[in-house]
Amino acid sequence: MPVKRLGKYHRYKPRKYIFSRFRKILDLSALLNISNKVRPETMSLAGLGAKKLKTMTFVASVVLILMIVGLFGVIVVFAYFSRELPNPNRLLERSFELSTRFYDRKDNLIYEVFGDKNRTLVVLSDVNPYVTYATLSVEDAEFYLHKGYSIRGMIRALRNTFTGEGLQGGSTLTQQVIKNTLLTQDRTLVRKIKEFILSLQLENRYSKDEIIQMYLNETPYGGQNYGIYSASKAYFNKLPKDLTIAEAAYLAGLPQRPSYYSQFGANPEAGLQRKDYVLYLMRERGWVASDGKRHYLSEEDYEFAKNEELKFETARVPLEAPHFVFYAKQYLVDLLGEDVVEKGGLKVKTSIDLEVQKLAQETVTSELEEVSRSLNIWNGAMVVLDPKTGQILAMVGSKGYNLDPQPEGCISGSSGENSCKFDPYVNVALAPRQPGSAIKPITYATMLSQGYTAAYPLLDMPIAFEGAAPDKPYIPENYDGIYRGIVSVRKALANSLNIPAVEALKIVGIDNMINQAEKMGITTFKDRQRYGLALTLGGGETKLLELTGAFSVFAAKGTYIKPTPIIEVQDSSGKVIYKPKDPGTKVLDEGTAFLISDILSDDGARSDVFGTGSLLNIPGHTVAVKTGTTDDKRDNYALGFTPSVVVGVWVGNSNNEKMNPYVASGISGASPIWNAFMKAYLKDKPDEKFEPPSNVQKFEVDRLTGGLPYRNFETRKEWFVKGTEPTARSDWFMRLEICKIDGRIANEGCKNAGKTDEKDFIRVTAPYSEWQPAVDAWIKEKYKDDERFFPPLMVSKLKFDGDEVTNKDEVNVEIVGVKENQNVPLNFRLNVEISAYNDIKIVRIYMDDEKVAEDTRAPFGYNFELKASDIGSHEFKAVVTDEDGNKGEAKIRLNVVGYARQ
């Protein structure tokens, strides 16, 4: 706070002031007219009288000349040094080094920061008067009588100088204010002259009360403590107004030699002796108060204060939510500069809610204490955001800032260094870590933004994708190793299935997904060339704070507001100098944001993997949540939200050591922490549902394909953004006219012979033709007893004469589903279809004329599982024999590649 100013503002005019001080020292006309006052009769005196008169005249002339020279010398000296003197008004205008204080959103003090000087300004009315009395007694008892300088003190200073004791002593309180504020601490004659001049000016501009207030705010009391407020807190943990007489005397005695007299220095007894000396001066010498009268400490107060046992208690520097306040401080430093933050006396109202912060920290700490050994999880972090404002309500950077790393949590490296699984000081909320499946909602949000729907069918099958090299395909697997076949986007996201997520990223494009992630606040996907399809499974590092901020977009109906730790910043005078004004940016369609929220809060949709009623549910509340675990089990997440709060949790080890691979899942790692916090936070709060916006509508669709319902196939209801709802049945459905004899598509002869039948089929079609062989292979294994999934692709080759077949000895063979010289992955199915009158006895499969398999049951073919050494062009052949021994064959050349290239 600024020094309270009582006096009238005076314009700075040093030369005018100096001349006004000396213009009445000498009346030159009076001195020069001495001879006119000598009467004529004195001229008759004897020669002795004339001689005396001559001598007196000479002496007077010399004195006059010396006075004139001295006068002009003083004027010249004052004028010379006044040229470069600082303006005393800077005492009110200069930037003090003041402590900056951080508060939570409810004005609870959580942190105090200062640079080289810990200082808080006070007004005189907030200081115990005995602090002033003790200061006057020991430093300047006649302060209220002089005009800024003391003749006695100046004589003492000159004596010390000429006796070789150095230029010291003689400083009034006014001069000490000048020395502590406007000038250096150098003990030189030049500095003393400047100090004297400025003291006169200071006394002319400010009242005595203002000057003593300046002194109490500026004086060093030891260490980084400047001013009586900081000293009171540092030595006695009291406010200046609450100090006792003895404590006031102790502090008043410190400024002479702060380090020597300090209780926390090498000579604590010296400070106590100094205190007694100050009390003695108060009793014996006293002080002149503002009323102009001298006052003394009573004998009773003297004895009581002298015998009082001082209880030293250093005020603990407040440090609540350390990871958060250090982040908030750096946030402000980046905005305002380090000097402003550390020395500007700012009042910073942060976004943190101290109660929520304590709940978050206690939850992380207590939950991890229960599982650290069993799961080998030693650290955790949490971020809590208000999605409507972007304000950070809580930030837990580790299991505990003040906890020991614990010897059992550390291991010795090969070079002998220690690597701790738990580092208390690193803020993991800001550290880049792989997010695992927690990034998937952004992939699916990108997909939905491109017009795909929550009902779109994805293929959860063993498909090989492009990898780092042709002989190193990327073959993702689900967490539980199970393939679920055809799944909707809703099922794929809700159950956190890996293969459909990779397929989704392949469809939307990596660049498009990164673009969407950056719109949602992710800043770590800088080097795009290093990311492949594994990005959707957590192959790129993110920060928990940014990831939680990205999830807030879903909660805020598609609006992104950058997470902020600040509500408001005031300067030392109370003026607001910074207030975030981010109205938010629309980065997702409101309908898309709703669909993601609805999917992640659908307990039924995720039941295949997580079961019903899991820890991802909060009884009585609608909550959306997504888990994430990296493939190598080094990072584990749970991020969930309601329309009013977003909570992100990470667990793992600081040294990146793997967690227990058998139990470290989304349910057993971060989810219990997330669940415990959400239960406590949402307790007694009303349930907030994700309300569908006006551009979203629910339709009944085919359960398998997501198209319009088809005949007697199963249906379900799904939400659609208007304009994306299905308008036709899926082209996967086929109603074919089949030749009854060979089961192939009926030709005209079969139709004319009346040997046909109509059947419904489902042709599961991959979005990329190169994937189709792998899809067919899986369909063969999964649905081998369900002929609906194997529609004929070959047209019947039977020939008729009337209703009789005329080519009963022919065996016609086709390799279907692939074309000549098509690329196929290492794992694919070679489908063989046959048109023959007789039943088929055996199908033999060859690769480069070498038999690799035999098949005796329709649908015929073989699932190839090749090696990297097989990459290249190969001829595949199918040789078929019917029950009568008739044979037929088909050949095709295919290019085996390491992955399914588009």
Side-chain angles (χ1 to χ4, degrees):
M1 63 187 71
V3 177
K4 182 178 179 184
R5 183 173 180 184
L6 303 178
K8 183 179 179 181
Y9 181 87
H10 293 270
R11 187 176 180 184
Y12 180 50
K13 297 180 179 179
R15 291 176 178 79
K16 182 177 179 181
Y17 170 75
I18 293 169
F19 281 102
S20 69
R21 279 284 176 176
F22 289 93
R23 66 185 180 182
K24 293 183 179 181
I25 292 179
L26 190 62
D27 188 341
L28 296 179
S29 63
L31 289 172
L32 293 174
N33 287 330
I34 292 177
S35 61
N36 295 331
K37 296 180 181 180
V38 179
R39 296 182 181 183
E41 54 268 23
T42 61
M43 300 298 293
S44 60
L45 291 174
L48 180 61
K51 186 177 181 179
K52 287 183 178 180
L53 179 60
K54 184 177 180 180
T55 300
M56 291 177 61
T57 302
F58 175 78
V59 171
S61 299
V62 171
V63 170
L64 176 60
I65 292 171
L66 290 176
M67 290 180 66
I68 293 174
V69 171
L71 170 63
F72 280 99
V74 170
I75 293 174
V76 169
V77 169
F78 271 57
Y80 176 80
F81 287 109
S82 295
R83 293 180 309 158
E84 299 179 354
L85 287 179
N87 190 335
N89 288 324
R90 286 176 53 199
L91 286 170
L92 293 182
E93 299 168 356
R94 72 190 185 93
S95 298
F96 293 94
E97 291 187 37
L98 303 177
S99 303
T100 290
R101 288 183 168 86
F102 289 75
Y103 299 84
D104 83 337
R105 66 190 304 111
K106 297 178 181 177
D107 293 324
N108 297 303
L109 182 63
I110 59 174
Y111 185 51
E112 184 175 358
V113 61
F114 45 85
D116 296 333
K117 299 179 181 180
N118 179 13
R119 186 207 320 269
T120 299
L121 300 183
V122 293
V123 293
L124 209 55
S125 58
D126 288 337
V127 180
N128 186 331
Y130 278 97
V131 174
T132 303
Y133 302 156
T135 299
L136 293 175
S137 296
V138 72
E139 296 289 346
D140 191 356
E142 281 77 34
F143 171 73
Y144 279 94
L145 297 180
H146 62 64
K147 293 299 183 180
Y149 58 91
S150 168
I151 298 298
R152 183 187 305 170
M154 293 172 67
I155 293 173
R156 184 171 64 250
L158 289 174
R159 183 199 65 195
N160 292 338
T161 300
F162 288 116
T163 58
E165 298 181 33
L167 192 64
Q168 55 184 324
S171 293
T172 63
L173 280 186
T174 308
Q175 290 172 305
Q176 291 185 52
V177 169
I178 295 297
K179 179 178 66 176
N180 291 333
T181 56
L182 300 179
L183 298 178
T184 67
Q185 299 292 320
D186 296 337
R187 292 182 175 182
T188 64
L189 182 59
V190 171
R191 204 270 296 162
K192 292 295 289 187
I193 293 173
K194 292 181 178 180
E195 179 185 293
F196 176 74
I197 297 172
L198 286 171
S199 297
L200 295 177
Q201 296 174 5
L202 189 67
E203 289 276 348
N204 193 47
R205 283 162 172 74
Y206 301 103
S207 70
K208 287 289 188 178
D209 285 346
E210 283 182 305
I211 295 173
I212 189 67
Q213 179 176 296
M214 292 176 191
Y215 175 88
L216 292 176
N217 278 322
E218 294 286 351
T219 298
Y221 286 90
Q224 293 179 303
N225 301 298
Y226 283 70
I228 193 63
Y229 182 94
S230 297
S232 301
K233 299 293 286 184
Y235 289 95
F236 301 110
N237 194 19
K238 289 184 176 182
L239 295 174
K241 65 180 179 180
D242 298 327
L243 294 170
T244 66
I245 296 177
E247 292 166 344
Y250 178 87
L251 294 179
L254 290 176
Q256 187 184 72
R257 297 178 66 186
S259 299
Y260 179 75
Y261 290 129
S262 173
Q263 175 67 20
F264 309 113
N267 305 286
E269 288 300 321
L272 298 177
Q273 294 171 4
R274 176 72 171 168
K275 178 261 297 182
D276 291 342
Y277 176 67
V278 174
L279 291 172
Y280 166 79
L281 292 177
M282 294 175 71
R283 184 189 67 174
E284 297 298 326
R285 185 166 68 183
W287 64 91
V288 176
S290 58
D291 58 4
K293 299 178 181 180
R294 187 172 293 275
H295 299 264
Y296 300 89
L297 185 66
S298 69
E299 188 66 30
E300 181 182 357
D301 286 340
Y302 170 77
E303 291 296 333
F304 183 85
K306 184 178 180 181
N307 295 320
E308 178 183 339
E309 181 181 355
L310 297 184
K311 296 179 180 179
F312 294 96
E313 179 186 350
T314 301
R316 183 179 68 87
V317 177
L319 183 56
E320 303 287 350
H323 286 117
F324 171 80
V325 294
F326 295 149
Y327 167 71
K329 176 191 171 185
Q330 187 59 48
Y331 186 93
L332 280 185
V333 167
D334 293 341
L335 284 173
L336 306 176
E338 189 164 1
D339 282 348
V340 174
V341 174
E342 293 198 347
K343 304 174 184 178
L346 307 180
K347 179 182 179 181
V348 182
K349 187 171 187 178
T350 69
S351 60
I352 196 173
D353 187 319
L354 199 53
E355 294 180 1
V356 177
Q357 173 70 23
K358 289 179 179 178
L359 172 62
Q361 184 68 73
E362 290 170 0
T363 304
V364 171
T365 303
S366 60
E367 290 288 332
L368 285 179
E369 285 178 352
E370 296 181 7
V371 301
S372 289
R373 293 186 180 279
S374 61
L375 300 184
N376 193 33
I377 300 176
W378 293 86
N379 203 4
M382 182 187 294
V383 171
V384 183
L385 298 178
D386 180 347
K388 298 175 182 177
T389 63
Q391 294 174 1
I392 302 172
L393 302 179
M395 176 185 283
V396 175
S398 72
K399 184 173 63 174
Y401 188 83
N402 297 315
L403 296 180
D404 291 332
Q406 304 175 5
E408 61 269 29
C410 299
I411 59 175
S412 295
S414 57
S415 302
E417 75 280 2
N418 287 328
S419 174
C420 292
K421 302 175 186 178
F422 163 54
D423 186 333
Y425 307 118
V426 174
N427 187 350
V428 186
L430 306 177
R433 307 282 302 202
Q434 289 195 347
S437 295
I439 200 71
K440 289 176 183 174
I442 298 179
T443 299
Y444 285 107
T446 309
M447 190 176 192
L448 295 173
S449 297
Q450 293 183 357
Y452 292 88
T453 72
Y456 181 82
L458 294 169
L459 305 175
D460 186 21
M461 304 171 187
I463 300 174
F465 299 87
E466 56 263 40
D471 60 342
K472 295 180 180 179
Y474 176 50
I475 307 176
E477 296 181 353
N478 292 324
Y479 181 82
D480 55 10
I482 299 174
Y483 301 103
R484 291 170 174 81
I486 304 161
V487 294
S488 64
V489 165
R490 175 176 291 272
K491 286 274 189 179
L493 174 57
N495 289 285
S496 194
L497 302 178
N498 289 343
I499 301 169
V502 176
E503 180 186 347
L505 182 56
K506 174 69 175 178
I507 291 172
V508 304
I510 295 175
D511 276 339
N512 291 329
M513 182 269 194
I514 293 178
N515 289 341
Q516 184 62 57
E518 290 179 345
K519 291 178 183 177
M520 298 171 71
I522 303 298
T523 65
T524 49
F525 297 159
K526 296 297 184 184
D527 187 4
R528 298 193 176 202
Q529 299 302 316
R530 60 182 285 256
Y531 299 119
L533 293 176
L535 180 62
T536 192
L537 305 184
E541 294 177 332
T542 60
K543 300 175 183 178
L544 180 61
L545 176 61
E546 293 183 352
L547 191 60
T548 308
F551 271 65
S552 72
V553 172
F554 305 131
K557 301 179 180 181
T559 298
Y560 172 70
I561 303 177
K562 184 179 180 179
T564 177
I566 305 298
I567 292 178
E568 181 181 274
V569 180
Q570 298 178 7
D571 64 15
S572 58
S573 65
K575 178 183 177 182
V576 176
I577 61 173
Y578 174 71
K579 194 169 188 177
K581 296 179 180 179
D582 185 358
T585 305
K586 203 73 173 179
V587 297
L588 268 186
D589 177 79
E590 192 171 342
T592 298
F594 166 76
L595 288 176
I596 296 293
S597 301
D598 186 65
I599 292 170
L600 295 181
S601 61
D602 188 343
D603 193 46
R606 62 173 169 248
S607 61
D608 285 352
V609 170
F610 298 101
T612 56
S614 68
L615 289 175
L616 304 184
N617 295 276
I618 307 297
H621 293 275
T622 304
V623 182
V625 61
K626 182 72 190 73
T627 63
T629 305
T630 54
D631 288 341
D632 54 11
K633 309 299 186 294
R634 300 181 193 275
D635 301 275
N636 181 246
Y637 293 81
L639 294 101
F641 56 92
T642 72
S644 295
V645 67
V646 187
V647 180
V649 177
W650 168 90
V651 296
N653 293 308
S654 297
N655 63 356
N656 214 31
E657 184 176 323
K658 292 183 179 181
M659 299 173 284
N660 188 324
Y662 302 104
V663 292
S665 67
I667 290 296
S668 58
S671 292
I673 298 175
W674 176 86
N675 180 272
F677 174 85
M678 288 297 270
K679 279 183 178 177
Y681 180 84
L682 295 176
K683 185 179 180 181
D684 300 327
K685 289 183 174 67
D687 180 29
E688 291 184 271
K689 298 184 181 300
F690 299 105
E691 298 296 335
S694 59
N695 68 330
V696 169
Q697 191 172 351
K698 186 171 281 190
F699 291 89
E700 187 174 8
V701 296
D702 173 68
R703 178 176 293 275
L704 186 68
T705 66
L708 288 180
Y710 179 68
R711 297 175 71 84
N712 296 323
F713 286 83
E714 235 182 313
T715 63
R716 68 180 181 88
K717 291 186 176 181
E718 180 60 87
W719 291 104
F720 292 85
V721 175
K722 289 182 179 178
T724 65
E725 66 272 14
T727 57
R729 66 172 175 82
S730 170
D731 56 10
W732 285 13
F733 288 113
M734 300 178 178
R735 187 165 182 82
L736 301 177
E737 188 174 3
I738 304 300
C739 186
K740 294 180 181 180
I741 300 173
D742 61 3
R744 302 305 104 197
I745 299 173
N747 56 18
E748 289 301 317
C750 191
K751 293 176 183 179
N752 293 334
K755 303 291 184 179
T756 65
D757 196 5
E758 286 192 345
K759 291 185 179 181
D760 289 316
F761 294 93
I762 306 168
R763 171 61 171 166
V764 179
T765 306
Y768 299 100
S769 60
E770 288 77 11
W771 293 359
Q772 195 62 51
V775 172
D776 291 343
W778 193 86
I779 293 294
K780 163 66 177 178
E781 295 297 325
K782 181 69 175 178
Y783 300 108
K784 56 187 176 183
D785 295 325
D786 190 342
E787 65 174 9
R788 296 180 306 166
F789 284 90
F790 303 98
L793 300 179
M794 178 182 181
V795 177
S796 176
K797 303 299 182 182
L798 296 179
K799 299 175 182 178
F800 290 85
D801 183 5
D803 59 356
E804 289 293 324
V805 176
T806 60
N807 58 339
K808 295 181 179 180
D809 295 334
E810 291 183 12
V811 176
N812 295 283
V813 183
E814 289 185 6
I815 296 175
V816 298
V818 288
K819 300 176 181 179
E820 187 74 19
N821 292 316
Q822 179 176 317
N823 293 334
V824 294
L826 294 174
N827 299 336
F828 72 98
R829 179 172 177 77
L830 191 74
N831 290 305
V832 179
E833 290 194 11
I834 306 161
S835 175
Y837 180 79
N838 299 317
D839 291 337
I840 302 302
K841 181 179 180 180
I842 192 170
V843 176
R844 295 178 176 88
I845 307 296
Y846 296 82
M847 176 177 170
D848 295 331
D849 292 327
E850 182 177 344
K851 188 175 72 172
V852 295
E854 294 182 347
D855 194 3
T856 59
R857 182 178 178 182
F860 297 106
Y862 178 66
N863 292 345
F864 279 91
E865 295 181 4
L866 302 177
K867 300 177 182 179
S869 58
D870 294 318
I871 292 176
S873 178
H874 300 274
E875 183 183 74
F876 297 87
K877 181 172 64 174
V879 178
V880 181
T881 304
D882 68 8
E883 289 184 336
D884 290 345
N886 300 310
K887 292 184 177 182
E889 66 176 50
K891 297 179 181 180
I892 192 170
R893 180 163 290 276
L894 300 174
N895 298 317
V896 177
V897 296
Y899 54 88
R901 292 182 297 190
Q902 184 176 352

